[in-house]
Amino acid sequence: MRRFIFLISAVFFFFILFILQTSFLIHFGYSNLFYYLILLLLFILILTEPSGKNDSIIVAAFVGLFWDFFSSGPLGKNLIIILSISLFLKLFLKIYVRIPEFK
Protein backbone atom coordinates (compact mmCIF):
# COMPACT_ATOMS: atom_id res chain seq x y z
CA MET A 1 0.00 0.00 0.00
CA ARG A 2 2.88 2.34 0.81
CA ARG A 3 4.46 1.70 -2.59
CA PHE A 4 1.18 2.46 -4.34
CA ILE A 5 0.80 5.77 -2.49
CA PHE A 6 4.38 6.71 -3.39
CA LEU A 7 3.83 5.92 -7.07
CA ILE A 8 0.55 7.84 -7.26
CA SER A 9 2.00 10.87 -5.47
CA ALA A 10 5.17 10.92 -7.61
CA VAL A 11 3.22 10.60 -10.86
CA PHE A 12 0.79 13.30 -9.72
CA PHE A 13 3.72 15.58 -8.76
CA PHE A 14 5.32 15.27 -12.19
CA PHE A 15 1.93 15.73 -13.86
CA ILE A 16 1.46 19.02 -11.97
CA LEU A 17 4.96 20.11 -13.04
CA PHE A 18 4.13 19.46 -16.69
CA ILE A 19 0.80 21.29 -16.38
CA LEU A 20 2.59 24.28 -14.84
CA GLN A 21 5.18 24.25 -17.58
CA THR A 22 2.74 24.14 -20.46
CA SER A 23 0.09 26.46 -19.11
CA PHE A 24 1.67 29.06 -16.86
CA LEU A 25 5.45 29.19 -17.16
CA ILE A 26 5.48 29.29 -20.95
CA HIS A 27 4.67 33.02 -20.78
CA PHE A 28 7.88 33.78 -18.87
CA GLY A 29 10.36 32.19 -21.29
CA TYR A 30 11.60 29.50 -18.91
CA SER A 31 10.08 26.58 -20.80
CA ASN A 32 13.34 24.79 -21.69
CA LEU A 33 14.76 25.36 -18.24
CA PHE A 34 11.74 23.75 -16.64
CA TYR A 35 12.15 20.59 -18.74
CA TYR A 36 15.68 20.30 -17.38
CA LEU A 37 14.35 20.72 -13.85
CA ILE A 38 11.89 17.87 -14.40
CA LEU A 39 14.68 15.63 -15.70
CA LEU A 40 16.91 16.59 -12.79
CA LEU A 41 14.19 15.71 -10.27
CA LEU A 42 13.61 12.39 -12.01
CA PHE A 43 17.30 11.50 -11.96
CA ILE A 44 17.56 12.50 -8.29
CA LEU A 45 14.65 10.14 -7.62
CA ILE A 46 16.49 7.36 -9.46
CA LEU A 47 19.78 8.00 -7.67
CA THR A 48 18.29 8.15 -4.17
CA GLU A 49 16.11 5.06 -4.50
CA PRO A 50 17.44 1.89 -2.85
CA SER A 51 18.97 -0.61 -5.24
CA GLY A 52 16.31 -3.29 -4.72
CA LYS A 53 13.37 -1.12 -5.73
CA ASN A 54 12.26 -0.25 -9.24
CA ASP A 55 9.55 2.33 -8.57
CA SER A 56 11.54 5.07 -10.27
CA ILE A 57 11.36 3.16 -13.57
CA ILE A 58 7.55 3.30 -13.43
CA VAL A 59 7.69 7.01 -12.61
CA ALA A 60 10.14 7.53 -15.50
CA ALA A 61 7.72 5.83 -17.88
CA PHE A 62 4.96 8.21 -16.80
CA VAL A 63 7.29 11.22 -17.11
CA GLY A 64 8.15 10.18 -20.66
CA LEU A 65 4.47 9.71 -21.44
CA PHE A 66 3.59 13.13 -20.01
CA TRP A 67 6.45 14.66 -21.96
CA ASP A 68 5.01 13.17 -25.14
CA PHE A 69 1.49 14.33 -24.35
CA PHE A 70 2.54 17.92 -23.67
CA SER A 71 4.99 18.30 -26.57
CA SER A 72 4.45 18.44 -30.29
CA GLY A 73 6.68 15.51 -31.23
CA PRO A 74 5.64 11.98 -32.13
CA LEU A 75 3.99 9.98 -29.37
CA GLY A 76 6.37 7.53 -27.70
CA LYS A 77 9.69 9.10 -28.65
CA ASN A 78 10.39 10.74 -25.29
CA LEU A 79 8.94 7.75 -23.45
CA ILE A 80 11.50 5.45 -25.06
CA ILE A 81 14.38 7.89 -24.53
CA ILE A 82 13.66 8.63 -20.86
CA LEU A 83 12.85 5.01 -20.05
CA SER A 84 16.04 3.71 -21.67
CA ILE A 85 18.19 6.32 -19.90
CA SER A 86 16.53 5.45 -16.59
CA LEU A 87 17.01 1.72 -17.12
CA PHE A 88 20.65 2.24 -18.08
CA LEU A 89 21.26 4.43 -15.03
CA LYS A 90 19.53 1.94 -12.71
CA LEU A 91 21.53 -0.94 -14.19
CA PHE A 92 24.78 1.03 -13.91
CA LEU A 93 24.04 1.87 -10.27
CA LYS A 94 23.18 -1.74 -9.47
CA ILE A 95 26.31 -3.21 -11.04
CA TYR A 96 29.06 -0.65 -10.45
CA VAL A 97 28.08 1.61 -7.56
CA ARG A 98 27.66 0.72 -3.93
CA ILE A 99 25.79 3.45 -2.10
CA PRO A 100 25.48 2.92 1.66
CA GLU A 101 21.86 2.62 2.71
CA PHE A 102 21.01 4.04 6.10
CA LYS A 103 18.15 2.47 8.02
Side-chain angles (χ1 to χ4, degrees), residues 75-88:
L75 191 64
K77 180 186 82 165
N78 293 323
L79 172 70
I80 292 171
I81 291 170
I82 291 175
L83 196 58
S84 62
I85 290 172
S86 300
L87 284 171
F88 174 74

Side-chain angles (χ1 to χ4, degrees), residues 35-80:
Y35 280 129
Y36 296 135
L37 177 69
I38 291 172
L39 281 179
L40 180 70
L41 289 175
L42 178 67
F43 291 145
I44 287 173
L45 177 69
I46 292 170
L47 291 174
T48 58
E49 187 179 41
S51 61
K53 289 187 171 184
N54 291 327
D55 295 339
S56 61
I57 301 300
I58 298 170
V59 174
F62 277 103
V63 167
L65 194 63
F66 292 152
W67 201 312
D68 284 332
F69 284 157
F70 294 115
S71 68
S72 61
L75 191 64
K77 180 186 82 165
N78 293 323
L79 172 70
I80 292 171

Side-chain angles (χ1 to χ4, degrees), residues 7-8 13 22 27-28 37 50 61 75 77 80 90 94 96:
L7 286 174
I8 293 296
F13 173 73
T22 56
H27 301 294
F28 297 110
L37 177 69
L75 191 64
K77 180 186 82 165
I80 292 171
K90 203 64 170 160
K94 187 175 183 178
Y96 295 112

Side-chain angles (χ1 to χ4, degrees), residues 6 11 18 24 30 41 50 69 79:
F6 169 74
V11 167
F18 274 106
F24 180 68
Y30 297 117
L41 289 175
F69 284 157
L79 172 70

